[in-house]
Amino acid sequence: ISIFLTYFFLPETVEKTKEKFSIKKVKILDKEPFKKYLFREETSSYLWQFFTYLLAHATWTSSFAVYGEMKLGFTARTTGYLLAYIGLISVILRMKIIPKLIDIWSEERLIFIGMSSIIFGLIMVPLFNSLPPILGFMTFFSLGTGISRPLLLAAISRKTSEKEQGAAMGVANSLGS
């Protein structure tokens, strides 16, 4: 559906040229957008926060299975359910709750709350050896991830001009890689 809607309803913004393709012109890594947006006052703090969020999230989700098995005796099934739980909370937050929270608090405050919640969850989980408290603190982590990611991306998008949003989002998503 996404491909169909994009093809038929999204207007083309790039002018086509008759220039021939040359492998010499292909840049594998163009450092200029990174320099431009990572050190620009308007986008810098949001991109660094986004990078920190992505690093914490990737580290957590990639190492939790080993941690859960070694320290807590979790099976692959239990770990899968816990990671699915994190994802489910994030989806519910993005669809239903964040728009209502923005009406109550500012996006800046919600980003702070989200990042604080991630940190709190990451600090607390290793202190316990049973599922109920771990599930509780994983809830803080998942609430934080569900709040932080969309609001940081929205802030990055808003802090760039319409013509630059693709490049800024490209930098943000490259940080995730």
Side-chain angles (χ1 to χ4, degrees), residues 84-166:
Y85 171 73
I86 289 173
L88 180 63
I89 288 178
S90 292
V91 168
I92 292 169
L93 272 169
R94 290 175 193 172
M95 289 174 47
K96 300 285 183 188
I97 299 171
I98 289 178
K100 293 175 184 169
L101 291 177
I102 290 172
D103 292 339
I104 298 169
W105 295 305
S106 69
E107 287 188 20
E108 292 290 326
R109 177 168 273 171
L110 283 174
I111 290 171
F112 177 79
I113 290 168
M115 296 297 273
S116 299
S117 184
I118 291 169
I119 293 167
F120 181 68
L122 289 175
I123 289 172
M124 296 305 292
V125 167
L127 302 178
F128 296 90
N129 293 322
S130 64
L131 186 58
I134 288 173
L135 186 61
F137 292 115
M138 283 183 76
T139 301
F140 279 97
F141 176 79
S142 59
L143 289 170
T145 61
I147 291 170
S148 298
R149 182 181 182 96
L151 292 180
L152 285 169
L153 287 172
I156 294 164
S157 176
R158 267 194 316 282
K159 296 294 181 177
T160 55
S161 71
E162 199 173 290
K163 285 187 165 195
E164 294 180 304
Q165 286 178 351

Side-chain angles (χ1 to χ4, degrees), residues 61-92:
T61 55
S62 64
S63 62
F64 182 74
V66 175
Y67 173 80
E69 181 184 7
M70 292 177 71
K71 185 170 181 188
L72 307 167
F74 287 174
T75 63
R77 174 174 276 162
T78 303
T79 300
Y81 284 136
L82 287 171
L83 294 176
Y85 171 73
I86 289 173
L88 180 63
I89 288 178
S90 292
V91 168
I92 292 169

Side-chain angles (χ1 to χ4, degrees), residues 51-64 141 145 175-176:
F51 173 74
T52 305
Y53 153 76
L54 291 168
L55 182 62
H57 191 268
T59 303
W60 170 259
T61 55
S62 64
S63 62
F64 182 74
F141 176 79
T145 61
L175 292 173

